[in-house]
Amino acid sequence: MSYQLIELGLDQGKRDELKQYIESFEKVTNTEKALLIANWLKTHGGILEVNEHTIFSALKTMAHNTSFDIRGALNNGRNRGKYFTTGDNSGYFKVHHIGEDHIRELEKERG
């Protein structure tokens, strides 16, 4: 699948903050990385729903690997982990409070 680069509306300071935050987690799955990005964008960027293009654009912004099934990671986060719920817009996802709880656990683990 090919992804589209979209404008996230983050200034340089926010882009640097996002990169520093995501890189503070050493061992996370692709689904967890998508969850961390989605939650950070919700909290700091005012982006309440994400899709694969949103996550792809954030990964590219941070110069991170994009060679995984981003849409699959979001679907797994919704179907298996229950980290996401279906968004209001077709094809979009929202972070669920179960996802927020999982992020708190990840943040504790990183020290």
Side-chain angles (χ1 to χ4, degrees), residues 82-95:
K82 307 301 183 203
Y83 304 147
F84 296 104
T85 59
T86 302
D88 297 332
N89 297 300
S90 179
Y92 282 78
F93 299 80
K94 287 182 180 179
V95 176

Side-chain angles (χ1 to χ4, degrees), residues 56-93:
F56 172 79
S57 298
L59 289 166
K60 281 299 215 186
T61 295
M62 298 182 293
H64 279 224
N65 181 6
T66 58
S67 64
F68 65 92
D69 181 0
I70 298 169
R71 181 73 183 185
L74 289 167
N75 280 322
N76 285 340
R78 181 187 61 204
N79 298 332
R80 291 187 193 155
K82 307 301 183 203
Y83 304 147
F84 296 104
T85 59
T86 302
D88 297 332
N89 297 300
S90 179
Y92 282 78
F93 299 80

Side-chain angles (χ1 to χ4, degrees), residues 1 4 7 22 24-28 36 41 46 50 53-54 56 61 64 68-69 71 77-80 82 98 111:
M1 172 173 208
Q4 297 174 350
E7 179 55 53
I22 298 303
S24 72
F25 296 90
E26 290 182 21
K27 294 186 181 195
V28 292
L36 290 166
L41 290 172
V50 299
H53 306 297
T54 315
F56 172 79
T61 295
H64 279 224
F68 65 92
D69 181 0
R71 181 73 183 185
R78 181 187 61 204
N79 298 332
R80 291 187 193 155
K82 307 301 183 203
I98 291 173

